[in-house]
Amino acid sequence: MCLIITGKSSKVRSTLLDTHGLLSDIFTSNPDGIGFMYGTAKGLKVTKTLPKNLGDATAFIQRLPSDDREIAIHFRWTTHGKTDMLNCHPYDVIPGFIAMMHNGVLHTGNAADKSKSDTWHFIKDYLHSAVSSAPDLVYDAGFVSMLEEFIGNNRFVFMNGEGRMQHVNFEQGVEHDGMWFSNTYAWTPSRLIPSYKSTTALKSYKYTNAYSSYYDDEYDEMYDYNASFNVQPRSPSAHSANYDESAYDFPDDEDGFVKPSPEELAIALDEADVEALEVCLENMPAYTITTILHCFQPMATSYTHRDDLCVVEQGVYDMLMEGDASGLISSATKSYSSAGIIAEVMCYYMLWTDRTPVTFKPTLPALLT
């Protein structure tokens, strides 16, 4: 199944949180991971989670920005690959700059590595090389039209570091109140649109791929994998000509940074406040890391395992478990995205408890000033 929603962040956030039964309906049908992406002055922001229950899903949605930047959010239902963070959307096409979400089941499959999703394989086999050579390719009408014809009954959403969005097979979704929903079968549209009635206009379209089936928007996508709608391309942009880059600054950057207390760091860890920890790590990496390792003990969770993480996240995970302050400080200052990766591993893949001061691997005195 899966569902992608795009629109202004404040609108998507309030719709999911304030429409009675909507988030519960979407999460129940698509419980295998949630991720969102949006542009900031610092580049593309990608955040993912594997919620254990509706409460976790609600808390994650509450972290969406309450402003008018364009956002895309993906709710996953596993059809290919493991249910883990690696297979949770969005996926990097160009790491740190262009990411992609997918709704549907691709006929290209995942035979080369069954632990990875069909989306992961499609990016690796078809998109990564071409888009890395020409990042604006995903906004080219001819390229988008070719993708639409090739993937048939599937929807893609791309976004770059400036927050510019591109839908592929836009017409296969449904629009409502300034938002776009990638399908009508992985949720109950009438919860949001009381007058909604299931359309018959999209039924019984024949296609000629390997599955030799047809699409009915009321059928389960497991059985109707990859029908073609033969639609024409549409290339909406996420931002108008009045796009204001300064509006995408993090709030913390506007008012100055105040050194957090151990209690405030404990709250951020307990509430999985990734953005708060990221700001701390960016401004005072040595203080933040040494304080956390000095005051709190990391523990593995029962629902996420080290092997579920990507290589970079595994490195951070190992350093946290080993108390390697020096390695973490070095990692936090390596690139603009490093602090965010460390913050996400701290918040999403570990539990933290109080502990008495412990000895951890030494770090240079200069880093502590």
Side-chain angles (χ1 to χ4, degrees):
M1 291 188 186
C2 299
L3 177 68
I4 304 171
I5 306 172
T6 66
K8 295 186 182 300
S9 183
S10 58
K11 184 65 177 179
V12 173
R13 183 182 188 275
S14 62
T15 298
L16 289 171
L17 294 176
D18 299 340
T19 305
H20 179 70
L22 180 62
L23 181 57
S24 175
D25 174 57
I26 293 173
F27 176 68
T28 299
S29 298
N30 308 274
D32 297 328
I34 308 174
F36 57 78
M37 57 185 179
Y38 58 85
T40 76
K42 299 180 180 181
L44 184 64
K45 179 70 173 179
V46 170
T47 306
K48 308 178 186 182
T49 189
L50 297 175
K52 295 180 292 183
N53 50 47
L54 180 59
D56 288 349
T58 301
F60 187 71
I61 300 303
Q62 289 171 337
R63 292 201 290 272
L64 294 177
S66 299
D67 57 28
D68 286 341
R69 75 186 77 192
E70 294 289 334
I71 196 167
I73 184 167
H74 184 283
F75 296 84
R76 184 181 185 224
W77 185 79
T78 302
T79 57
H80 290 81
K82 294 181 178 179
T83 299
D84 56 19
M85 289 296 290
L86 177 63
N87 288 313
C88 188
H89 302 233
Y91 286 84
D92 284 333
V93 180
I94 303 177
F97 185 64
I98 292 183
M100 186 191 92
M101 295 174 173
H102 164 226
N103 169 212
V105 181
L106 294 159
H107 69 274
T108 48
N110 69 335
D113 183 349
K114 294 292 187 179
S115 70
K116 307 295 196 305
S117 72
D118 54 340
T119 312
W120 185 93
H121 283 82
F122 191 89
I123 292 171
K124 175 179 178 293
D125 296 339
Y126 297 97
L127 292 177
H128 173 71
S129 179
V131 177
S132 294
S133 300
D136 285 343
L137 197 59
V138 298
Y139 304 106
D140 180 82
F143 181 74
V144 170
S145 179
M146 180 182 67
L147 273 181
E148 290 180 329
E149 182 176 352
F150 183 67
I151 67 175
N153 174 33
N154 286 264
R155 280 69 59 201
F156 291 165
V157 175
F158 294 98
M159 185 179 284
N160 70 6
E162 298 174 349
R164 184 183 177 194
M165 195 168 352
Q166 174 66 58
H167 298 74
V168 178
N169 280 332
F170 186 95
E171 287 82 355
Q172 292 182 8
V174 59
E175 295 179 87
H176 174 72
D177 200 16
M179 296 173 289
W180 177 81
F181 297 79
S182 63
N183 64 61
T184 58
Y185 53 79
W187 62 300
T188 308
S190 59
R191 290 186 179 276
L192 181 62
I193 315 168
S195 61
Y196 176 85
K197 294 183 179 180
S198 179
T199 179
T200 59
L202 301 179
K203 295 184 180 182
S204 300
Y205 276 69
K206 300 292 183 180
Y207 67 100
T208 59
N209 69 19
Y211 292 102
S212 299
S213 184
Y214 64 94
Y215 179 77
D216 181 331
D217 69 345
E218 293 178 342
Y219 283 7
D220 189 332
E221 191 167 11
M222 285 186 65
Y223 301 99
D224 303 303
Y225 278 178
N226 200 46
S228 173
F229 281 78
N230 298 316
V231 297
Q232 298 300 312
R234 176 172 174 175
S235 305
S237 173
H239 299 293
S240 70
N242 297 321
Y243 171 70
D244 180 9
E245 179 69 19
S246 65
Y248 289 75
D249 289 336
F250 288 109
D252 309 82
D253 297 333
E254 299 172 1
D255 302 324
F257 178 75
V258 178
K259 183 172 76 172
S261 66
E263 291 76 18
E264 289 170 327
L265 291 173
I267 292 172
L269 290 169
D270 184 60
E271 296 181 353
D273 191 340
V274 171
E275 290 196 4
L277 277 179
E278 182 178 356
V279 170
C280 294
L281 288 164
E282 288 174 344
N283 287 274
M284 298 187 73
Y287 169 81
T288 302
I289 289 167
T290 54
T291 299
I292 288 175
L293 292 178
H294 185 77
C295 297
F296 311 109
Q297 173 71 48
M299 298 186 303
T301 69
S302 60
Y303 50 87
T304 301
H305 303 287
R306 180 186 179 280
D307 291 343
D308 296 334
L309 311 184
C310 69
V311 173
V312 174
E313 291 169 336
Q314 286 181 356
V316 172
Y317 183 94
D318 291 342
M319 287 187 284
L320 286 167
M321 296 300 285
E322 295 169 3
D324 185 357
S326 179
L328 286 164
I329 293 167
S330 175
S331 178
T333 57
K334 187 173 296 184
S335 70
Y336 80 93
S337 62
S338 297
I341 294 172
I342 295 173
E344 290 181 357
V345 173
M346 286 179 169
C347 288
Y348 297 152
Y349 308 135
M350 293 180 165
L351 300 176
W352 294 85
T353 60
D354 293 333
R355 71 172 170 186
T356 55
V358 296
T359 300
F360 41 79
K361 293 184 180 180
T363 185
L364 295 174
L367 291 174
L368 298 176
T369 61

